[in-house]
DNA sequence: ACTTGGTATCGAAACGTTTTGATACTACAC
DNA sequence: GTGTAGTATCAAAACGTTTCGATACCAAGT
């Protein structure tokens, strides 16, 4: 447990001042090439590395990025946000940052609970995934920390955001069903207050309208409490209980689509023969269920990556330019809309 | 952006010294109840919170735990280790630690690359998931940091470890197949150098032996390069290409089992009618494929949780007692061994 | 000759805590 | 009344960096 070298040791051995060594290490200010080289040489010889805490104290930076996720999304270990999170981990390492994860409840009260990394001044910027209290966002603003929103958007765009192209995704999904000849297309949705979900819903209605297809309200389930597998099952139940007889279903996300599939199978309905289904998100599971699910692929890791790039930009550049990125989506056609073995028919 | 209060402000307002305030905050040393109360009152009034960097510098602690994962496991976003990681995140928050994630390559050379959080003295303890270079482990030891291994074990148990009860899991799986009347039971395995996998293999052989079932070498695939879905497909191909005709297969993990299922289905074989399959791990996907996979459930989040508890113990207690925990497993019987609709037969 | 501005280096202060050692009081046993 | 052990508080040092301002040199522009 030998004493590890400090910047002081480096300075002494190089015959220079602390300040000069610091300048070299941080690649800042004026240093002659020869001096720089000799410092670096000593650094190598001693295998010196600056300590994060000391650096943090002096420079008021932490080298960390905070990732905030709503409690429900985290505890369910939601495959969707989990992927985004892993994407940030990946990209963060490239930029020499670490990600600190925390969760927050639905409503935020600064007198009650504040993420610890904010109190301890232990992050340089914040990534928020999904929907959280607006109070929380303005609280963080008041700390002067840069924020990047992922899969969430506020009325007035004051923050950089990384968004899914939900409109295009919804349109692609419904157009796909229309192209297959479907006209009685149902929508299975949940909490429409979440911007992503309401956009998908809007795209659904718009696409049908454009195609001149009559909109039937009994075909729309928009108030299911949870957009989960269980929610999908219960929404499907309600849909058919209402007497609707769609030939195709657009589910607001894959979790609901999978729940829906399960319900249809339990009723003995064949997919896609009796009812075709399209989901949204392309979570891992979707390619593995039977039938494999047609869906709109969202590049989740990519979203995390972009979010980190944005927040790092804001941290380093100090300039607060707001960038909204719409990450493109892709329709993945699988067996839940187009039968693999056409022999079925 | 008003100046946030420091411990100095608290001391001044409370009419006490820095040291006393520090003692109160850290709940240490002798402080009279009245003094403690008056300090806490001021802390509340100013809503003071100590800064992580300053605290870290003075106390040589970071409040972080390092999580090390091999590169391949991370980049594949392996659902197995990902779950363990999420388990640590969950538990870490309870103990007021943050998790810093990093990955390492297969071979470790301290002159080449060392995880940044080690160089920067930015972690108080380390959790290592899966198999990594032993050189890395001894390097970390030389830094005096406590280590907890998860799903990995070294010959001489010098570190606390959180392990799967692979022996019992493998035994349960094979006994299940025997109880169903199977005698020609194949094993699909990969890199047997990983302790977890070799234990499962050993349990397989032992259980068959105990049951007096002849071991047929052509029934054993133990050298598949990757224990992934693709590896499972290719292992299954090789198994049947060799002319083996098992009625049941025990795959070393769910990923391989799923790959195997895929291959069997492409050959037109019915599961479990023609061949029954058991996996290991119970990853999310397993309950959703067709047929739903019988498997040995591993409590992945739980393993992460325990790992954090162990490492926090070592960090706070300073005592280096080695604890090896075998997390129990559970056989989950699903359709890949027992037909749901018995009408099939 | 006198500014000006860029280059190079340094000393000292600052960052906000924890920790160490000293001091002083009280209570109790002898 | 002296010694001992526990209780309570404090002043100062230490932790390892970055940053600020000062100094000094040199070359070029007037």
């Amino acid at each position: 447990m030998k004493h590890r070298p400090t910047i002081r040791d480096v300075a002494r051995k190089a015959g220079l001042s602390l300040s000069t060594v610091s300048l070299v290490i941080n690649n800042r200010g004026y240093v002659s090439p020869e001096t720089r080289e000799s410092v670096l040489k000593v650094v190598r010889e001693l295998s010196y590395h600056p300590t994060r805490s000391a650096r943090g104290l002096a420079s008021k930076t932490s080298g960390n990025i905070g990732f905030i996720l709503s409690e429900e999304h985290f505890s369910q270990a939601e495959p969707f946000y989990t992927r985004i999170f892993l994407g940030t981990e990946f990209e963060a390492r490239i930029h020499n940052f670490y990600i600190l994860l925390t969760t927050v409840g639905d409503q935020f009260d600064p007198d009650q609970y504040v993420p610890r990394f904010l109190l301890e001044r232990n992050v340089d910027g914040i990534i928020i995934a999904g929907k959280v209290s607006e109070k929380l966002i303005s609280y963080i603003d008041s700390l002067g920390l840069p924020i990047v929103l992922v899969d969430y958007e506020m009325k007035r765009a004051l923050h950089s955001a990384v968004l899914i192209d939900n409109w295009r995704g919804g349109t692609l999904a419904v157009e796909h069903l229309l192209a297959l000849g479907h006209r009685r297309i149902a929508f299975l949705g949940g909490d429409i207050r979440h911007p992503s979900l309401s956009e998908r819903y809007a795209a659904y209605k718009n696409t049908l309208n454009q195609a001149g297809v009559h909109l039937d309200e009994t075909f729309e389930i928009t108030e299911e409490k949870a957009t989960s597998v269980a929610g999908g099952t219960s929404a499907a139940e309600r849909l058919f209980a209402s007497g609707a007889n769609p030939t195709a279903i657009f589910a607001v996300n894959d979790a609901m689509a999978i729940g829906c599939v399960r319900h249809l199978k339990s009723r003995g309905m064949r997919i896609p023969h009796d009812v075709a289904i399209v989901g949204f998100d392309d979570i891992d599971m979707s390619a593995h269920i039977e039938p494999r699910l047609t869906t709109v692929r969202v590049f989740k890791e990519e979203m995390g990556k972009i979010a980190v790039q944005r927040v790092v930009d804001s941290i380093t550049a100090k300039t607060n330019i707001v960038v909204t990125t719409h990450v493109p989506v892709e329709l993945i056609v699988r067996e839940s809309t187009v039968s693999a073995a056409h022999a079925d028919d």
Side-chain angles (χ1 to χ4, degrees), chain A:
Chain A
M1 214 90 58
K2 46 185 178 250
H3 192 269
R4 292 220 230 168
T6 75
I7 197 174
R8 196 159 262 114
D9 300 320
V10 175
R12 189 175 311 125
K13 182 155 180 188
L16 291 162
S17 71
L18 295 192
S19 349
T20 305
V21 175
S22 178
L23 291 178
V24 170
I25 288 168
N26 294 290
N27 223 344
R28 209 194 310 270
Y30 296 115
V31 180
S32 76
E34 306 81 48
T35 307
R36 153 163 285 113
E37 254 325 303
S38 77
V39 168
L40 291 178
K41 183 155 164 288
V42 175
V43 165
R44 274 193 302 272
E45 286 169 7
L46 299 180
S47 74
Y48 163 77
H49 283 277
T51 299
R52 186 65 256 179
S53 308
R55 190 174 260 209
L57 179 57
S59 68
K60 297 178 172 314
T61 69
S62 67
N64 300 325
I65 295 169
F67 188 100
I68 298 181
L69 189 57
S70 86
E71 249 155 36
E72 36 177 0
H73 286 146
F74 179 67
S75 57
Q76 301 171 212
E78 254 236 46
F80 183 77
Y81 287 110
T82 300
R83 285 291 184 166
I84 293 179
F85 174 69
L86 291 176
T88 64
E89 283 283 4
F90 200 86
E91 184 74 8
R93 225 171 11 280
I94 295 175
H95 296 277
N96 278 354
F97 276 88
Y98 286 107
I99 303 282
L100 305 189
L101 175 67
T102 202
T103 63
V104 293
D106 256 359
Q107 61 270 0
F108 170 76
D109 177 1
D111 298 323
Q112 203 65 31
Y113 170 78
V114 173
R116 194 163 48 87
F117 54 50
L118 295 177
L119 298 175
E120 295 180 335
R121 243 138 305 168
N122 203 12
V123 290
D124 303 334
I126 296 287
I127 293 173
I128 297 179
K131 192 182 172 189
V132 303
S133 151
E134 300 208 355
K135 266 200 212 159
L136 172 59
I137 297 183
S138 39
Y139 176 85
I140 298 173
D141 273 334
S142 78
L143 298 177
L145 286 175
I147 300 181
V148 174
L149 302 174
V150 182
D151 190 31
Y152 186 60
E153 200 177 3
M154 283 168 56
K155 346 282 124 232
R156 294 163 308 159
L158 299 170
H159 303 95
S160 287
V162 182
L163 304 171
I164 301 168
D165 196 340
N166 291 297
W167 180 266
R168 180 162 166 71
T171 304
L172 283 174
V174 177
E175 279 177 349
H176 171 61
L177 293 174
L178 287 169
L180 290 172
H182 295 283
R183 287 302 173 268
R184 300 204 306 279
I185 302 175
F187 176 82
L188 243 51
D191 179 5
I192 286 302
R193 286 160 310 172
H194 188 298
S196 261
L197 305 191
S198 68
E199 276 176 41
R200 295 174 194 179
Y201 178 52
Y204 157 81
K205 293 214 289 193
N206 177 263
T207 309
L208 290 187
N209 250 328
Q210 296 278 322
V213 174
H214 171 69
L215 291 176
D216 184 341
E217 292 234 332
T218 66
F219 278 18
E220 301 177 5
I221 307 282
T222 55
E223 293 299 338
E224 188 59 40
K225 43 227 153 285
T227 52
S228 59
V229 173
T233 302
S234 104
E237 266 168 22
R238 283 163 54 199
L239 176 67
F240 287 99
S242 78
N245 59 342
T247 65
I249 296 176
F250 171 39
V252 81
N253 67 11
D254 282 3
M256 286 197 87
I258 290 171
C260 176
V261 164
R262 201 167 283 178
H263 177 69
L264 295 188
K265 283 168 93 172
S266 77
R267 291 185 134 226
M269 301 178 92
R270 287 168 303 167
I271 305 168
H273 187 275
D274 298 328
V275 177
I277 300 185
V278 183
F280 207 116
D281 285 352
D282 192 31
I283 61 179
D284 289 342
M285 221 175 270
S286 305
H288 293 277
I289 64 163
E290 180 96 346
R292 297 166 36 155
L293 189 68
T294 293
T295 187
V296 178
R297 174 172 293 170
V298 174
F299 297 89
K300 300 162 280 291
E301 282 87 354
E302 183 70 13
M303 293 178 73
K305 248 179 91 164
I306 296 175
V308 169
Q309 288 165 359
R310 289 281 164 277
V311 79
V312 169
D313 277 355
S314 299
I315 292 170
T316 53
K318 294 285 183 200
T319 156
N320 245 347
I321 128 172
V322 172
V323 182
T324 303
T325 308
H326 283 267
V327 179
V329 295
E330 195 177 305
L331 182 72
I332 307 289
V333 178
R334 299 205 189 96
E335 300 160 7
S336 72
T337 55
V338 177
S339 187
H342 283 281
D344 274 5
D345 307 349

